[in-house]
Amino acid sequence: MTVTVSVPLPGRAYDVVIGPGLVDRAGTYVAPLLRRPRVAVLTDENVAALHLERLRAGLSAEGIDMVALTLPAGESTKSWAHLTQSVDWLLDQKVERSDVVVAFGGGVIGDLAGFAAAILRRGVRFVQMPTSLLAQVDSSVGGKTGINATQGKNLIGAFHQPSMVLADIDILGTLHARDFLAGYGEVVKYGLLGDAAFFEWLERNGAALSAGDQATRIEAVRHSVQMKADIVVRDETEQGDRALLNLGHTFCHALEAATGYGNRLLHGEGVAIGCALAFELSARLGLCSQEDPSRVRAHLRSMGMKTDLADIAGDLPDAATLLELMGQDKKVVDGQLRFVLARGIGQAFVTGDVPASTVLDVLTDALALRAQMS
Ligand code: NAD
């Protein structure tokens, strides 16, 4: 069963194909995009070890040759050093303006390869083949590409839409449980930001999803991608609505910065904790009921996910420092922090009107709870 979601951006429309076995059939999907039968693939060492030869076979079945650069796995690969390495390698491989670059990996590879494609010869086309749940439901769709700066995450990048997204559901089977759940943080986010019925569906189907049920996984990815596509088509470059996708991200980026963008806290884990904190903040401001943050946390907990600051190992800075780190977020406008808050589950909105003192209170209380629990 394969389903397709269209992203009908004028002049840059593309399809997101979701289903089993797509790596083995990659050649069939990619061939119509090619001027010559050759692609350059960027991937990471984990994905390469498990799946690269299958991709080679899937392409070669349609007579397409593949060259591949395998980069280290992990967030630190989204760096100037690896961007330079990738672009140099693509030039060495004589990738031309009319060729296609393939991003075969999670969000790290998708963001880096997309950015490399955006700047190579002033822009070559690329295909996203997202291999993590997070990349399938979020990062591979919408054209945000980039790398991290020492000053903060994703601060260097470009909008560059892929020409196609191939989300092979089977490939999620080799993800570590922790990475799968981190991706699930982004799935929950869609329900929380704009679709209460989807959140309820996740409450009912989360266990099957996590256990590997194929139809449930396809539906969760399809629904998430459709929501993202709708938002991206309304607001490609984030002048308005697209910022809703950042629910939980202002907290998340501060926590990621505080934990060094590494294994202590994965991006999707930070999103889940950030969503819980955003609902807590919304409740404190009287925007939503006190039951909403409890319900969000209950679902995350039932999935075995990180939910509170107490779930982050090691030291964390104090509330004022975390607030300061939030100030580095890209969504700061005229020095004013912008938050995605909610009037209830599925009813998020963007606002610049949040008293710093209330944010500080939420963080102080969350840190106090953490101290009590340790
Ligand atoms: P990731 O790319 O680091 O992948 C997570 C881990 O899973 C890595 O170790 C990777 O090697 C491994 N992996 C991936 N697919 C696998 C598979 N099928 N089997 C086994 N292991 C596999 O991280 P991620 O969570 O996919 O993505 C996080 C990144 O995405 C962050 O950098 C974040 O900023 C970015 N992001 C971008 C957007 C966007 O719109 N561009 C949106 C959300 C997140």
Side-chain angles (χ1 to χ4, degrees), residues 24-45:
D24 306 309
R25 285 182 282 135
T28 319
Y29 289 98
V30 173
L33 299 174
L34 304 182
R35 285 266 293 275
R36 55 173 175 164
R38 182 172 184 262
V39 291
V41 176
L42 295 177
T43 188
D44 79 22
E45 58 205 3

Side-chain angles (χ1 to χ4, degrees), residues 78 106-116 128 139 144-147 154:
K78 268 173 63 174
V108 164
I109 289 297
D111 282 11
L112 175 80
F115 190 32
Q128 288 271 18
S139 62
K144 277 192 184 178
T145 71
I147 57 173
N154 296 329

Side-chain angles (χ1 to χ4, degrees), residues 228-297:
K228 178 141 189 192
D230 290 347
I231 291 175
V232 166
V233 167
R234 283 206 300 277
D235 177 24
E236 184 180 7
T237 56
E238 201 167 310
Q239 309 303 310
D241 264 14
R242 187 165 180 167
L244 292 173
L245 294 169
N246 298 319
L247 177 62
H249 282 60
T250 307
F251 286 109
C252 170
H253 287 166
L255 294 171
E256 282 186 289
T259 51
Y261 299 107
N263 213 33
R264 269 178 74 197
L265 185 73
L266 303 178
H267 176 72
E269 293 174 337
V271 170
I273 297 174
C275 283
L277 287 170
F279 268 81
E280 186 60 42
L281 179 58
S282 303
R284 295 272 179 113
L285 292 168
L287 293 163
C288 68
S289 79
Q290 199 45 253
E291 283 76 56
D292 286 336
S294 308
R295 187 173 161 198
V296 174
R297 281 202 204 90

Side-chain angles (χ1 to χ4, degrees), residues 44 46 75 78 106-108 111 131-132 139 144 153 171 174:
D44 79 22
N46 296 337
E75 187 67 34
K78 268 173 63 174
V108 164
D111 282 11
T131 62
S132 69
S139 62
K144 277 192 184 178
K153 238 181 98 80
I171 212 165
T174 56

Side-chain angles (χ1 to χ4, degrees), residues 126-334:
F126 80 116
V127 168
Q128 288 271 18
M129 292 192 66
T131 62
S132 69
L133 180 61
L134 183 141
Q136 295 196 352
V137 300
D138 194 354
S139 62
S140 64
V141 179
K144 277 192 184 178
T145 71
I147 57 173
N148 300 325
T150 40
Q151 289 85 348
K153 238 181 98 80
N154 296 329
L155 293 180
I156 304 148
F159 284 98
H160 187 48
Q161 298 291 343
S163 300
M164 177 183 284
V165 182
L166 292 177
D168 185 335
I169 287 292
D170 291 338
I171 212 165
L172 302 178
T174 56
L175 266 183
H176 288 148
R178 186 176 174 201
D179 288 312
F180 184 86
L181 286 181
Y184 187 74
E186 301 275 8
V187 177
V188 172
K189 181 193 78 177
Y190 288 106
L192 295 177
L193 75 86
D195 193 337
F198 184 50
F199 183 75
E200 280 166 32
W201 185 87
L202 291 172
E203 287 179 317
R204 287 196 306 278
N205 292 288
L209 195 76
S210 157
D213 181 72
Q214 191 181 79
T216 315
R217 285 187 173 188
I218 291 175
E219 177 51 19
V221 174
R222 187 201 65 77
H223 196 100
S224 303
V225 168
Q226 185 67 62
M227 284 187 71
K228 178 141 189 192
D230 290 347
I231 291 175
V232 166
V233 167
R234 283 206 300 277
D235 177 24
E236 184 180 7
T237 56
E238 201 167 310
Q239 309 303 310
D241 264 14
R242 187 165 180 167
L244 292 173
L245 294 169
N246 298 319
L247 177 62
H249 282 60
T250 307
F251 286 109
C252 170
H253 287 166
L255 294 171
E256 282 186 289
T259 51
Y261 299 107
N263 213 33
R264 269 178 74 197
L265 185 73
L266 303 178
H267 176 72
E269 293 174 337
V271 170
I273 297 174
C275 283
L277 287 170
F279 268 81
E280 186 60 42
L281 179 58
S282 303
R284 295 272 179 113
L285 292 168
L287 293 163
C288 68
S289 79
Q290 199 45 253
E291 283 76 56
D292 286 336
S294 308
R295 187 173 161 198
V296 174
R297 281 202 204 90
H299 178 56
L300 298 175
R301 280 249 169 276
S302 77
M303 292 294 291
M305 296 176 69
K306 289 191 170 50
T307 309
D308 297 303
L309 297 191
D311 299 323
I312 304 173
D315 291 337
L316 281 181
D318 61 13
T321 310
L322 285 174
L323 188 64
E324 175 75 28
L325 288 169
M326 287 180 170
Q328 276 299 333
D329 197 87
K330 287 196 295 320
K331 285 88 202 174
V332 173
V333 178
D334 298 334

Side-chain angles (χ1 to χ4, degrees), residues 23 44-55 104 171 173-176:
V23 171
D44 79 22
E45 58 205 3
N46 296 337
V47 176
L50 292 161
H51 304 291
L52 193 60
E53 288 316 306
R54 232 156 37 77
L55 178 60
F104 188 47
I171 212 165
T174 56
L175 266 183
H176 288 148

